[in-house]
Amino acid sequence: MRHFDFKNGEIYAENVPLREIAETVGTPAYVYSTATFERHYKVFAEAFDDVDALVAYSVKANSNIAVLATLAKMGCGADVVSGGELIRALTAGIPASKIVFSGVGKTREEMRLALEAGIRVFNVESLPELSLLNNVAIEMGETANIAFRVNPDVTAGGHDKISTGKAENKFGIAWSDAEKAYDLAAKMPGIHVVGVDVHIGSQIDSLDPFKATIVKVGGLIQKLRDKGHVITSFDIGGGLGIPYGNNEKAPPLPSVYGKMVKDMTRDLDVEMIFEPGRMISGNSGILLSRVIYAKSGANRNFLIIDAAMNDLIRPALYDAYHDMEPVKAPGSNFTEVTYDVVGPICETGDTFTRNRILPEMTDGDLLVIHSAGAYGAAQSSQYNTRPLVPEVLVNGDQFEIIRERPSIDDILKNERIPDWLT
Ligand code: LLP
């Protein structure tokens, strides 16, 4: 069931008309559906409920604490990549024992914070990081559980900018150095090795790269065990793609992915850890926007909407496709128009789509941009001094603002004019 769908001639989020949210909160606004977050988490978790597994939602995809709290209530863990994300996860009620810490550039302060909180495991990405973590843990009288993020040199991911598992990417320990890294870690008093970690990319629409990765990591686990290392967990990262509504290849369903992973890892005798981000939040949110002007150019029709690339950067950054439709269902004799849908920012890249056929729209009409729940609000900025878009969480027939739209005063309050200029 879709939770952003037409009822009575207009699109609702669950049981709330988007029009009502636009009138109350203003536009642009991100609108999320609790039922969709819950369903996506459930579908993913159920694919692994008969094996030893932890689903650690990748906080970077959508890090609002209300979203995290929704997932925490269902038993979800978290994959964090900064001290800030760690604090968000803890604030939302995700227990430290279900938090894994990834990222290539963890600082001393972030390591301290995570050790104090007692997180489950650090996914270590380099030898300098290992050495610093060892020192920090010793200083604190702690031992850090670690898995090495290894780089399996597998090609995967919907776009070059989100592929992470190739040898040329900055992520993980080079495959050829992996065994040495484990040997080194085993001698460090502040380090306790527990597992192996990978993350090969995002918006992956085929099982093949995951299969290739499992074969390689399975072999590595065997070799490490032969040398006496105790490996109890295998974190396979995130990356499972979602449908964005265009005619691209549909990514495998979580149940199909789940069966494959279980079949291929059954004999490894490890706890599996998953870090899905987009799969849980991508289709749980939309960006609600209003047409400022419908403008005819020399040879194109532009819809200039009040959302822009600073609010949702995916089309500008990755040429990403997002489905769009008017909130109000068109009448029976509607005209279709080919539009370029653009924002108000002074850059040609501020284009959500070109040549999109939509029912004719006019100034003041509301437009939905679908599949904006992952890497939408989380990647937004205040470019052009446009306040961050508010976020709204719907639950049945209720909704609440879960992040306020800042005022311009809020934006300016952290800036200073030095004395020498006044
Ligand atoms: N684990 C790690 C270590 C990651 O780096 C990521 C995403 C994930 C898990 C979650 O991946 P997911 O399941 O969401 O594919 N901004 C881009 C996507 C960047 C993904 C970065 N890493 C986009 O909008 O497409």
Side-chain angles (χ1 to χ4, degrees), residues 58 60-61 79 81 102 149 162 199 201-203 237-240 244 275-279 314 318 374-375 379:
S58 191
K60 64 168 77 72
D79 159 50
V81 292
S102 307
R149 174 168 177 182
I162 55 174
H199 170 76
S202 200
Q203 187 54 15
L240 188 60
Y244 274 95
E275 302 171 357
R278 188 190 315 266
M279 198 272 133
R314 302 195 68 257
Y318 320 113
Y375 308 110
Q379 292 198 131

Side-chain angles (χ1 to χ4, degrees), residues 7-28:
K7 278 183 214 172
N8 316 317
E10 57 179 330
I11 302 180
Y12 278 56
E14 302 191 18
N15 298 325
V16 181
L18 289 178
R19 178 184 36 80
E20 190 183 325
I21 295 176
E23 282 161 6
T24 319
V25 181
T27 54

